Amino acid sequence: MVRILRGLAHKYFSDDEAVILFLILVAGTVFFVLFGAMLAPVIGSLIIAFILQGLVTRLNKLGVPEGLAILLVFLVFLGVLVSFIFGLLPLVWSQVSTLAGETPRIIRELQTYLALLPEEYPHLISTQAVSNIYQQVSTEVGNLTQWLVSFSLSSIPDLVALLIYMVLVPILVFFFLKDRGVLLDAIARMLPPQRPMMLQIWHEVNLQWARYVRGKALEILIVGGSTYVAFKLLGLPYTALLSLLVGLSVVIPYIGAAVVTIPVAVIALFAFGWGTHFIWVMVVYGVIQALDGNVLVPVLFSEVNNLHPVLIIISVLFFGGVWGLWGVFFAIPLATMLKAVFSAWPVKEGAPPSADPDQA
């Protein structure tokens, strides 16, 4: 066993830079697991600044001075933030409240639909199975309604924290944009002066993360906006809520679209019933999803490293379980980072100098 461990250490940790990088990765992981929730505004501000830096760079290439470019981009960010907080968010919350109020009617109509299934398909579903499904749905809806009530009663402290974040996050975003070079230099001074492997990993990860995060933000806006316009034209209720869910569903590859299809289909069914209007809603929704997967994603992420779908799903499940929503959002970039680390990690072949071939 000692010989095996010595051989692994010689093969993968002979380089001092590899040991330092390993310690940084372990310390960073432990730090974010322990203090990630506490530092959520800082992490969110870093992500937003990372997205906005691309716009600053583009304006710099067009000849706009860096200070003016940062100011213009920051003002655009403030405008979008204010529009979201005072425009979209109240509308979504109003639709959630209305939907909760209509839940009893939806349950009654669901019971009517379920009661007809054994008569129309007696060989596929029984009356007992329909009763079990109805009981389960009623229980889940009751739990959801109770959660909404308890959430509204206990949301005052969260509202105070939200008000703090509304002030704190824009300030942090501004300084992350303004002092980006200073902050990066400060981090670089804490690292070894000779760090070719770290620089290689940094350049690859920085490039891939920038493309992914900015592309994903643009994909959310395009998919959510097109869904809102389409559903509004079709007269579907709860358009803002559904378009927000559809837009956010692109964060979780493969799984998100399948999960969001359920509320879209249910609301369309109870709004229009079985008929042509319901079919049109589902066809339009399917077209949006098809265009997203076959046109938008290849255009936005053509230069991002391709990962196998199995690795993507495993990454979503693992990082989502560790870091929640942030882990889901960054599952693919984190998997890409691990891939870059493994690709650049120095491997030294041969036996360690002190190894004894005859040692058992």
Side-chain angles (χ1 to χ4, degrees), residues 84 88-89 92-93 95-96 220 223-225 227-228 231 238-250 260:
F84 176 79
L88 180 60
L89 204 58
V92 171
W93 182 251
Q95 293 188 357
V96 169
I220 291 173
V223 173
T227 302
Y228 180 84
F231 285 176
Y238 312 110
T239 305
L241 175 61
L242 291 177
S243 59
L244 181 63
L245 292 177
V246 173
L248 294 178
S249 70
V250 303
V260 175

Side-chain angles (χ1 to χ4, degrees), residues 3-12 14 347-358:
R3 181 171 55 120
I4 294 174
L5 294 177
R6 186 185 296 118
L8 291 175
H10 173 75
K11 184 175 183 179
Y12 295 106
S14 296
V347 178
K348 189 172 183 179
E349 300 296 339
S354 59
D356 185 3
D358 297 327

